[in-house]
Amino acid sequence: MAFDSLFCSVLAQVARVARFVTHLCDWASLATVATRAPVEGQPFSNVFSISDGPELQSSGVPYLYLTPMEISVQDLQVSPVSSLSMSLAQTDFCRDSGYDPQSPLCAHVILSGSVLQINGSEADFAKKALFSRHPEMMDWPHDHGWFFAKFNITLVWVLDYFGGVKTVSPEEYFQASPDQTSVRLASDTLHITSLD
Amino acid sequence: MAFDSLFCSVLAQVARVARFVTHLCDWASLATVATRAPVEGQPFSNVFSISDGPELQSSGVPYLYLTPMEISVQDLQVSPVSSLSMSLAQTDFCRDSGYDPQSPLCAHVILSGSVLQINGSEADFAKKALFSRHPEMMDWPHDHGWFFAKFNITLVWVLDYFGGVKTVSPEEYFQASPDQTSVRLASDTLHITSLD
């Protein structure tokens, strides 16, 4: 295989891993820049439930269900630029495989981009995506001003094997198939079957 | 009970929850300010293994094992100011209790502060704390310049019940007992027994 083809093949594989991890994860950590005293201007990490689609209907876009009452959402209202990380450490995969959460073999994906409110048909899809995997959301307090949002990806960082982080463009990411059968985690292709 | 005493009692309880979650969690999400193109100046979320002490020997201080080759560690070398979030979503507690990861009932704790390299007797304790709970670390590549670090806490944010985030000072946090038997999660005291 020519170097160009080999490189594209490896890149496509990394993009598939990113799609796979994003679809599998039910929650993620969001980093914002804090807007409240006494931590104004400091990075701030928080936990949010996500869904990129109902099970086996992956869109690649992490959707969120947010309220302006939430502290990180208040940060986003000042600057939507943020980062979302997801790790297979939240599934049984890493534990069952004996991979430490910090090991790159316990695949984790970091998205750079921004959180944007959505409406119309995209909000309809987000609702289906989120409520099917987080049914509790349907009962969250109606007076909290909940709205649907998406993480608008500008760059994808993938840690799935030794040798440092790899980056994937949004185009490569969205072209890749999140289909589990097409994903070969660099750590061990055999283990993937245990995720069924 | 006078209001002052009641307030102090509630605060102590919140601090205990923070200590409990920090001790229970094996990994955390670290938010830094990115120092590399094309995301320079943007918040960046990443995954790290942590330990605040060997099992049942909680210090309250999250220790980390880092290498300068890691991208977030490169951010920390420019500015150590960062944020560390930990959630019971990473344990079986929330799933077994039917609490969505974004629900405050699925207790999560956010630390503000900075990551500092440590040496001497504190590094000895960090090594014991980390290697006992992350034995794989002992075999990580010897040429990567690994060092021990601590998350130096300036403020603790606790989401463990409805009504918004609560804050706890480092003094209140370190005074609290992380002892499981003394912790009453606001969500449901009965569930705590399932964490044994």
Side-chain angles (χ1 to χ4, degrees):
Chain A
M1 193 184 283
F3 176 76
D4 277 5
S5 307
L6 181 64
F7 182 74
C8 289
S9 164
V10 169
L11 207 63
Q13 173 55 25
V14 174
R16 277 199 291 269
V17 170
R19 289 292 303 272
F20 173 73
V21 172
T22 300
H23 184 56
L24 203 67
C25 286
D26 285 326
W27 58 280
S29 295
L30 182 76
T32 56
V33 174
T35 50
R36 65 208 148 278
V39 296
E40 212 166 347
Q42 296 184 16
F44 193 76
S45 181
N46 204 346
V47 171
F48 289 90
S49 291
I50 57 159
S51 170
D52 84 330
E55 210 171 330
L56 303 180
Q57 291 181 55
S58 162
S59 70
V61 179
Y63 290 108
L64 303 111
Y65 191 47
L66 304 174
T67 161
M69 299 171 76
E70 212 285 329
I71 46 174
S72 297
V73 178
Q74 289 164 7
D75 297 342
L76 294 170
Q77 286 171 333
V78 176
S79 171
V81 176
S82 46
S83 173
L84 198 70
S85 66
M86 292 149 291
S87 169
L88 290 188
Q90 74 174 251
T91 70
D92 293 332
F93 172 73
C94 301
R95 236 179 318 189
D96 292 349
S97 307
Y99 298 145
D100 190 82
Q102 191 171 321
S103 167
L105 300 184
C106 180
H108 37 295
V109 170
I110 300 155
L111 306 177
S112 290
S114 51
V115 175
L116 305 176
Q117 185 165 356
I118 50 172
N119 293 295
S121 59
E122 190 166 17
D124 293 341
F125 181 79
K127 186 177 181 177
K128 199 173 130 196
L130 285 158
F131 286 17
S132 62
R133 293 172 62 175
H134 303 277
E136 186 187 311
M137 285 180 173
M138 287 182 261
D139 299 320
W140 286 357
H142 294 298
D143 59 351
H144 279 28
W146 295 101
F147 62 93
F148 294 99
K150 70 172 170 186
F151 194 87
N152 189 49
I153 302 168
T154 54
L155 192 57
V156 180
W157 311 75
V158 181
L159 283 148
D160 69 340
Y161 200 62
F162 306 113
V165 71
K166 286 160 278 195
T167 55
V168 172
S169 72
E171 294 70 30
E172 292 153 349
Y173 172 83
F174 285 113
Q175 275 166 20
S177 164
D179 179 5
Q180 192 163 304
T181 57
S182 76
V183 175
R184 291 178 55 217
L185 280 183
S187 52
D188 193 335
T189 57
L190 290 175
H191 284 300
I192 209 67
T193 54
S194 70
L195 288 167
D196 282 324
Chain B
M1 192 184 283
F3 177 77
D4 276 6
S5 306
L6 181 64
F7 182 76
C8 289
S9 164
V10 170
L11 207 64
Q13 174 56 24
V14 174
R16 278 199 291 268
V17 169
R19 289 291 304 272
F20 174 73
V21 172
T22 301
H23 183 57
L24 204 66
C25 285
D26 285 325
W27 58 279
S29 294
L30 182 76
T32 56
V33 174
T35 49
R36 65 208 148 278
V39 295
E40 213 166 348
Q42 295 183 17
F44 193 76
S45 181
N46 203 346
V47 172
F48 289 89
S49 292
I50 57 158
S51 170
D52 84 329
E55 209 171 331
L56 303 179
Q57 291 182 55
S58 162
S59 70
V61 179
Y63 291 107
L64 303 110
Y65 192 47
L66 304 174
T67 160
M69 299 171 78
E70 212 285 330
I71 46 174
S72 297
V73 178
Q74 290 164 8
D75 298 342
L76 294 171
Q77 287 172 332
V78 176
S79 171
V81 176
S82 46
S83 172
L84 198 69
S85 66
M86 293 148 290
S87 169
L88 290 187
Q90 74 174 251
T91 70
D92 293 332
F93 171 74
C94 301
R95 237 179 316 190
D96 292 349
S97 307
Y99 297 146
D100 190 82
Q102 192 171 320
S103 167
L105 301 183
C106 181
H108 37 294
V109 171
I110 300 156
L111 306 177
S112 290
S114 52
V115 176
L116 305 177
Q117 184 164 356
I118 51 172
N119 294 294
S121 59
E122 190 166 16
D124 292 341
F125 180 79
K127 185 177 182 177
K128 200 173 128 195
L130 286 158
F131 286 16
S132 62
R133 292 172 62 176
H134 303 277
E136 186 188 311
M137 286 180 173
M138 286 182 262
D139 298 320
W140 286 357
H142 294 297
D143 59 351
H144 280 28
W146 295 101
F147 62 93
F148 293 99
K150 70 172 171 185
F151 194 86
N152 190 48
I153 302 168
T154 55
L155 192 58
V156 180
W157 311 74
V158 181
L159 283 149
D160 68 341
Y161 200 61
F162 306 113
V165 72
K166 285 159 280 196
T167 55
V168 172
S169 72
E171 293 70 30
E172 292 152 350
Y173 172 83
F174 285 114
Q175 273 166 21
S177 165
D179 181 4
Q180 193 162 303
T181 57
S182 76
V183 175
R184 290 179 55 219
L185 280 183
S187 51
D188 193 334
T189 57
L190 289 176
H191 285 298
I192 211 69
T193 55
S194 69
L195 287 167
D196 281 323

